Amino acid sequence: MEIQKLYDLDDIEFEDIAIGLVRLAKDVPAHEFFYKINQINGLTFSRKRDVIIHGAYYDYHFPRFEAYHKFTKTCFTFISNRSSESKQKKLQTELFTEEENIKFLLNNQVDVEYILHTSEQIPDFSVILLPENLVFPIQDYTLGSEEELYQIIQYYE
């Protein structure tokens, strides 16, 4: 799967992006999870246009939720690590393709439910209060410019 190149790569200086990995302690639907976050925060997360990745056989949709912090003027974005929907474009005729009907944005982190991103260069995820006994502590993670998720975040920013 290729992300469409929008810029001349020679003219851009890439910097790593710091994101947060959010693991849930319980299996909770997205609407319930964000309802609880909105209750205990001064933020109001709402569903935005899905992140869409076009594969050879499927189009994958990843739910995205955003909120704007009024005091720090920061935009926080939660992106589901696991595709919620996949639309088959054509029938798979090969036996061993690498494409399945479920996709993860971070293939090496399949236990991560959400990827948290902020508009700040140095993110402070402690501004967001998470529901007790529902979420493990947010794990910091750095994305390099060569990773597919880096390109996706840049595109949807």
Side-chain angles (χ1 to χ4, degrees), residues 2-95:
E2 287 286 322
I3 299 299
Q4 186 178 25
K5 305 293 185 222
L6 300 176
Y7 308 104
D8 184 9
L9 296 178
D10 296 333
D11 293 342
I12 300 174
E13 186 176 315
F14 293 107
E15 293 182 12
D16 292 345
I17 296 177
I19 59 172
L21 305 182
V22 179
R23 291 175 174 84
L24 298 181
K26 299 176 185 175
D27 190 24
V28 177
H31 66 276
E32 185 177 328
F33 175 68
F34 287 102
Y35 174 77
K36 290 183 180 192
I37 286 180
N38 288 341
Q39 277 187 320
I40 60 176
N41 285 283
L43 301 168
T44 305
F45 281 94
S46 60
R47 180 103 184 240
K48 299 296 180 187
R49 186 172 49 113
D50 286 355
V51 171
I52 300 172
I53 296 179
H54 303 285
Y57 298 101
Y58 294 94
D59 286 339
Y60 301 98
H61 294 255
F62 298 88
R64 184 170 60 122
F65 302 86
E66 283 186 357
Y68 184 75
H69 195 271
K70 296 173 190 169
F71 301 114
T72 62
K73 298 186 181 355
T74 304
C75 180
F76 291 98
T77 305
F78 279 91
I79 303 170
S80 178
N81 186 37
R82 183 176 192 225
S83 61
S84 63
E85 180 182 357
S86 58
K87 295 180 181 176
Q88 189 169 11
K89 297 192 293 189
K90 63 181 180 178
L91 194 60
Q92 289 183 335
T93 56
E94 298 174 23
L95 265 177

Side-chain angles (χ1 to χ4, degrees), residues 20-25 125 130-131 134-140:
L21 305 182
V22 179
R23 291 175 174 84
L24 298 181
F125 299 126
L130 297 173
L134 189 60
V135 179
F136 292 110
I138 296 174
Q139 176 188 349
D140 292 332

Side-chain angles (χ1 to χ4, degrees), residues 95-146:
L95 265 177
F96 300 106
T97 62
E98 292 183 15
E99 199 169 327
E100 297 180 19
N101 64 342
I102 295 174
K103 179 169 176 55
F104 291 92
L105 291 174
L106 290 171
N107 290 325
N108 59 342
Q109 302 282 345
V110 295
D111 61 330
V112 170
E113 192 68 32
Y114 294 102
I115 297 162
L116 179 57
H117 177 257
T118 179
S119 58
E120 294 292 318
Q121 284 294 100
I122 302 171
D124 181 14
F125 299 126
S126 64
V127 174
I128 300 174
L129 300 173
L130 297 173
E132 291 182 28
N133 301 324
L134 189 60
V135 179
F136 292 110
I138 296 174
Q139 176 188 349
D140 292 332
Y141 189 84
T142 303
L143 286 176
S145 60
E146 69 283 347

